[in-house]
Amino acid sequence: MPDATASILLLGATGQVGHALRRTLAPLGAAYAPDRAAVDLTDPPSVREAVREHEPELVVNAAAYTDVDGAEEEPERAARINAEAPRVLAEAARAVGAWLVHYSTDYVFGGGKRAPYTEADAPSPISVYGRTKRDGEKAIRAVGGRHVILRTSWMYSRRRSNFVRTMLGLARENDRLAVVDDQIGVPTWAGWCAEATASVCERLLAGDDMPEAGCYHLAGTGQTSWYGLARAIFAQFDRLDVTVEPVSSDEYDTAAPRPAYTVLDSSRARAAFDLPGVPWTAQLARFRKRMRAAGGEHVARG
């Protein structure tokens, strides 16, 4: 294990994964976690200056434009944050010899498969969000340098807008909910993702028996639909009084199309970084326990 003296630049530290990374990266070294006012991802000189000034050994980019529907209305802004900023980060990280760890998404896939996607499958996004995230991946690969792209899926936590927060909020005012049952993926707790990421970063900083640079899928095992996840949420949170009805995607009008199937096969990452396979159901149970230990069932705002 590397000593806890590594210099780390963490972007997106107020987001779901970024907030959890503050804790999980702490044993590896000192993390500089600037806010948006200090480092503006839509401003390339701001990004370059942050890397040049701090000369980190590791750059972790947990920042992204994640509003899937909003990206349809703001494609240029989404592209600046999801595609252009990763290219600038990759260039700056390469210039100082740093590793870049960058997050991507299952939405780079179009959903046409009915078997878990591997890293060998070609991306075929069907939304602006998915296309900008794919373009960010391509930009990092084009720059080269030492990088690891972690694709994850269906993120939730106590922070920001996510499905678990939405369901728990709706359940306070409704005893019957209709939830889509024809979109299949792997729910991911941000806390688990941050723990796994720290294990990846530890290997990168150690420098011995180095896994190859490139793209890895980082999600739990198993799969479910949004309907299945909703039922699991209410079971975990003892809200069995809430009735969940399955409906098709056709019954919801959204600005961005959603892929029908984006289950990620994470076996390559588990083998490369010696990560355990953790079922999505176990992650949800740990999330529930963490919330109880924190002193309540409420979900943090912001």
Side-chain angles (χ1 to χ4, degrees), residues 90 93-94 98-100 140-148 213-214:
R94 183 175 182 177
W99 276 97
L100 170 62
I140 292 171
R141 286 193 294 269
V143 170
R146 302 193 296 173
H147 69 272
V148 169

Side-chain angles (χ1 to χ4, degrees), residues 16 69 155-180 226 229-231 233-234 237 239 242 244 252 258 284 287 291 297-302:
Q16 294 191 78
D69 289 326
M155 192 66 60
Y156 64 88
S157 72
R158 294 180 67 194
R159 302 177 61 82
R160 302 295 180 183
S161 175
N162 63 73
F163 186 79
V164 174
R165 286 191 65 182
T166 297
M167 288 297 102
L168 292 175
L170 289 173
R172 296 189 189 102
E173 300 177 357
N174 302 273
D175 58 10
R176 186 176 297 273
L177 299 171
V179 181
V180 169
W226 295 114
L229 176 55
R231 293 191 61 184
I233 291 166
F234 296 135
F237 284 82
R239 290 301 311 271
V242 179
V244 186
Y252 280 87
R258 266 57 168 184
L284 182 63
F287 171 68
M291 289 187 65
E297 304 259 323
H298 80 283
V299 181
R301 296 184 181 275

Side-chain angles (χ1 to χ4, degrees), residues 79-152:
R80 285 197 299 272
I81 296 172
N82 292 345
E84 177 66 9
R87 179 188 64 79
V88 175
L89 270 176
E91 292 172 345
R94 183 175 182 177
V96 299
W99 276 97
L100 170 62
V101 175
H102 171 77
Y103 292 97
S104 191
T105 174
D106 58 325
Y107 276 29
V108 300
F109 296 116
K113 283 188 71 175
R114 283 302 179 268
Y117 282 94
T118 72
E119 294 85 349
D121 289 311
S124 55
I126 59 175
S127 66
V128 170
Y129 168 68
R131 288 193 289 272
T132 60
K133 292 298 288 182
R134 175 206 58 193
D135 291 347
E137 293 182 9
K138 291 173 63 177
I140 292 171
R141 286 193 294 269
V143 170
R146 302 193 296 173
H147 69 272
V148 169
I149 297 167
L150 300 174
R151 287 187 187 136
T152 188

Side-chain angles (χ1 to χ4, degrees), residues 278-289:
V278 181
W280 71 265
T281 50
Q283 292 184 35
L284 182 63
R286 280 193 61 201
F287 171 68
R288 170 65 182 89
K289 290 178 180 178

Side-chain angles (χ1 to χ4, degrees), residues 59-81:
V59 178
V60 181
N61 182 29
Y65 186 112
T66 58
D67 183 345
V68 178
D69 289 326
E72 301 291 323
E73 304 297 326
E74 296 186 297
E76 293 182 357
R77 179 172 175 79
R80 285 197 299 272
I81 296 172

